[in-house]
Amino acid sequence: MKPNHAVRGLLLSALAVFFLPWSCRSGPGAGSPGPRARLEFDRVESAGAEEVLVYCICRIANPYSSGASFSSGKARIFINGAELSGGDPLEIEGGRIPGESEASFPGLYRLDLKKISGAPGENNLTLKAVLDLDFVFDDGRRARVPAEGELDFSLTLEPVFTIESIRILQAELINTRLKVRVKIANPNSFPVSLSSMRYELYGAGRFWADGTHAAAYTIPGKGSAEADLYLVMNFTNMRRDVLDRIIELRQVDYRFAGTVEISPALKHLPVFTARFDLQGESEVSR
């Protein structure tokens, strides 16, 4: 797992100031003020490890006596000042707006995190959207109006797991109790709590044991903590050479994988589940 992988679970830190040039490129009357529109971002949700859902509201004012229908045109999306290419469109629910009135319409943008280029471990993002709205008025005239909005938010980076040691606590004929000590580093600038951990241990390419851990660990921003995880290994279906390695306390190839629930210390940030998958070589000791 890469330290800068961005996890499912995703975090909103602050709403930004929204702004809009109140102008249109063509309109029902030369020299008269046209329809106005602006984007206000509502919230951010995680849709998986590689996608973020950005919800917004498009507010439209129609100063003319003639009603109009509208649809979303082209949108330009910028992340930290760099324009994104490709990806899903910014979708605003099309509809009608009566003459001399104002109305609000919900919208959604699916942000593909794989398209974001930036420094590894960077989780503070500024999203700017510029969306063209195409209006058709009841009297047959048309207008194209740009709507803009900006949002600052943070992604929660997944904790980084490292195997510190694998120890035999009690060796029996069939079952052996193991303790796996892991180091958990928090790459975020804010504290996170880890709980409801589920894990599996593989040795030399074979399943060894699994377990759960319900206790919570709170890790400070940019800090780390150690956790002792316990498993019971059954030797019934294990190859003899692997069993000999464990009995003789030699090096073994391992894979340690599982899931953990992550809760940011800030109340307005959502809880999400992250996966970890570690591979390496470790000495088995008593």
Side-chain angles (χ1 to χ4, degrees):
M1 179 177 63
K2 297 181 180 179
N4 62 336
H5 190 224
V7 283
R8 298 179 209 162
L10 180 107
L11 311 172
L12 174 63
S13 62
L15 289 177
V17 177
F18 311 106
F19 56 92
L20 169 75
W22 300 96
S23 61
C24 61
R25 299 171 187 170
S26 62
S32 60
R36 305 185 305 275
R38 72 178 186 273
L39 295 175
E40 295 183 1
F41 289 100
D42 182 29
R43 68 188 188 278
V44 176
E45 293 181 358
S46 172
E50 302 292 350
E51 187 177 55
V52 171
L53 303 181
V54 183
Y55 293 88
C56 65
I57 297 173
C58 184
R59 304 196 185 278
I60 300 174
N62 178 13
Y64 295 103
S65 59
S66 177
S69 61
F70 73 92
S71 60
S72 300
K74 181 181 178 181
R76 300 179 65 194
I77 306 296
F78 303 83
I79 298 293
N80 292 349
E83 184 172 3
L84 297 185
S85 59
D88 292 336
L90 172 58
E91 301 172 352
I92 299 293
E93 289 188 10
R96 282 188 54 82
I97 180 167
E100 300 179 342
S101 65
E102 297 182 3
S104 299
F105 301 86
L108 173 67
Y109 177 66
R110 297 177 179 271
L111 174 60
D112 186 349
L113 298 177
K114 299 189 298 297
K115 294 183 176 296
I116 298 176
S117 60
E122 181 180 1
N123 62 338
N124 295 320
L125 303 178
T126 297
L127 182 149
K128 179 182 177 182
V130 182
L131 172 66
D132 285 336
L133 298 176
D134 293 316
F135 289 82
V136 178
F137 290 84
D138 295 341
D139 58 14
R141 288 174 289 186
R142 297 173 179 268
R144 175 167 291 178
V145 179
E148 297 185 13
E150 191 170 301
L151 170 69
D152 292 330
F153 66 99
S154 295
L155 302 175
T156 296
L157 302 177
E158 295 180 359
V160 180
F161 289 77
T162 305
I163 296 290
E164 296 287 287
S165 64
I166 300 176
R167 293 188 59 192
I168 295 177
L169 297 181
Q170 183 179 359
E172 299 175 349
L173 183 60
I174 296 178
N175 294 324
T176 292
R177 292 185 64 228
L178 296 176
K179 180 176 75 173
V180 179
R181 173 163 290 182
V182 298
K183 181 179 179 181
I184 309 168
N186 176 16
N188 299 286
S189 59
F190 46 83
V192 296
S193 294
L194 277 60
S195 62
S196 302
M197 196 178 303
R198 299 177 180 273
Y199 43 86
E200 296 178 340
L201 179 64
Y202 298 81
R206 285 177 171 258
F207 173 78
W208 276 9
D210 58 10
T212 60
H213 189 74
Y217 291 86
T218 298
I219 308 176
K222 302 297 184 181
S224 63
E226 291 185 344
D228 290 330
L229 308 178
Y230 296 90
L231 310 95
V232 176
M233 182 169 56
N234 188 296
F235 287 105
T236 303
N237 298 317
M238 186 173 293
R239 291 196 338 242
R240 182 66 197 182
D241 62 322
V242 177
L243 178 59
D244 290 342
R245 284 191 177 192
I246 296 173
I247 294 175
E248 297 171 11
L249 304 180
R250 301 206 307 244
Q251 295 277 82
V252 293
D253 295 326
Y254 71 83
R255 178 181 172 223
F256 190 68
T259 61
V260 60
E261 188 175 271
I262 300 176
S263 305
L266 303 177
K267 292 183 178 180
H268 65 281
L269 299 177
V271 176
F272 66 97
T273 299
R275 293 194 58 83
F276 57 89
D277 194 332
L278 309 174
Q279 299 185 52
E281 190 175 74
S282 175
E283 180 180 348
V284 180
S285 61
R286 292 188 184 275

